[in-house]
Amino acid sequence: MATTAVPVASPEDAIAVIDPRSYAEWGPLLDRFDRIRAETPVVRIESAEGFHEPFWLLTRHEDVMRVSKDNQTFLNAPRPTVFTGKDGEAFARAVTGGSPNLVNSLVSIDAPSHPKLRRLTQEWFMPKNLRKIEEDIRKLAAHTVDRLIAAGPEADFCTLVSAPYPLHVVMQILGVPEEDEPRMLFLTQQMFGGQDEDLNKSGMADLAPEQVLQIVMGAVSDFEAYFFALAEERRKNPTNDVASVLANANIDGQPLSARDLAGYYIIVAAAGHDTTSASTAGAMLALAQDPDQFARVKADRSLLPGVVEEAIRWTTPVQHFMRTNTTDVEIGGVQIPAGDWLMLNYVAANHDPAQFDNPRKFDAARDGNRHIAFGAGAHQCLGLHLARLEMRILFEALLDRIDSLELAGEPKRAKSTFVGGLKTLPIRFKAS
Ligand code: HEM
């Protein structure tokens, strides 16, 4: 095969792809991805200042799908599974004693351990089992909608609904009592140090690196101690929550270690919270922007699953994950040597015109909506049925109680390279 020049992104594109601020400006970001995808669908991203290791950006739906599904060639370890600069990676290795990821969890491991760990809760997250907790979710949704109605007729949907509701759901399935939720939220923020100053309330922005290291190590051991105690409790008194499944699980005849248990709880807590918040806020934005669509869905609830699915594509809450290839590969005509790092950009893939007609349009009736917001292959989102269920139940409760809806101001997006979405959504509504 003829060798071709390696496509390298311009310095400006290279910065934009990893800069949290570019993910807050959705239109320009999508324009940029459209251009990159059309010119160089597989492109090398280098840091002029050596801030990060080089990686390959994939923007086409078919390439992101192919890599996601080939879990033999493309591994989640050994490099960070979420984009991290060299300092961040060194920091994680210092905290964990060698791992490039702060938390050792499902998304950061490969076979043979990954399927063994995943299998422990796979059944629990299937629709059949979720029916058992549907009533509890309905109560949380009703309670959340009550609070919104009480605050109306104008309110910020993110503060009152889309941020707290998925957090309550995920904490409930993890067996964390409501009074401990603020502590869990705080610990999560300390660990993952949100990139958006409005969302990161842990106050770590201005601390020296060694102070941050101390705090993060403290958060990790607090988490481990908390979930270890919770697991003890669930061994004595099992319930129908996922915490009980994990507490009583064995791998190769051994119970999970404190670190593996904590990693599992943390991944479920972290993966199940901001993601569903973002898609929930996105669905509400789409309904607020289109009164006819709102009226149609209110009158015909069979349209709701389409709204939910399209909101997940349209918002793409998880914006990327990274992979490392084990062998030399060719993607889209570009040769990628073994051991390189790849960014699966789900935002770009979910707006690929080769896969979606008019991708920026919110179209709840989209035919065969094959979006990749939940990933694909061995790591495909474990909580996808739960996310859809939570959203459907919430919108059923909202549509029962709200007669009209409009925007009451300009929504703002979070500055974040990894999990993104709206951080404010001012709405005006009329309650029934
Ligand atoms: C709209 C909401 C959500 C989105 C967009 C989302 C997206 C994703 C994505 C893109 C992945 C990685 C897939 C891959 O590498 O191929 C993932 C993994 C995961 N998600 Fe979700 N997620 C959502 C909600 C949830 C919820 C509600 C939970 C659980 C409570 C959850 C738990 C997980 C877990 C445990 C993994 C790791 C699976 C593995 O590595 O085997 N997610 N999610």
Side-chain angles (χ1 to χ4, degrees), residues 119-131:
R119 218 172 288 135
L120 300 179
T121 57
Q122 186 117 8
E123 274 307 303
W124 194 92
F125 281 102
M126 293 307 275
K128 186 162 166 252
N129 183 63
L130 294 178
R131 278 202 279 280

Side-chain angles (χ1 to χ4, degrees), residues 106-107 114 118 170 271-272 275 279 318 321 323 373-376 379 381 383:
L106 282 181
V107 275
H114 174 259
R118 183 168 165 121
V170 94
T275 50
S279 51
V318 176
F321 265 115
R323 295 289 191 268
F374 288 125
H379 289 274
C381 179

Side-chain angles (χ1 to χ4, degrees), residues 68 76 106-107 114 118 125 170 173 267-268 271-272 275-276 279 312 317-318 321 323 346 372-384 386-387 390-391:
S68 301
N76 286 33
L106 282 181
V107 275
H114 174 259
R118 183 168 165 121
F125 281 102
V170 94
I173 68 169
I267 180 69
V268 172
T275 50
T276 317
S279 51
I312 294 168
V318 176
F321 265 115
R323 295 289 191 268
Y346 302 121
I372 192 162
F374 288 125
H379 289 274
Q380 189 181 38
C381 179
L382 190 57
L384 59 87
L386 177 63
E390 271 180 62
M391 287 179 68

Side-chain angles (χ1 to χ4, degrees), residues 264 298 371 373 423:
Y264 219 124
K298 186 167 165 72
H371 69 73
K423 61 177 176 177

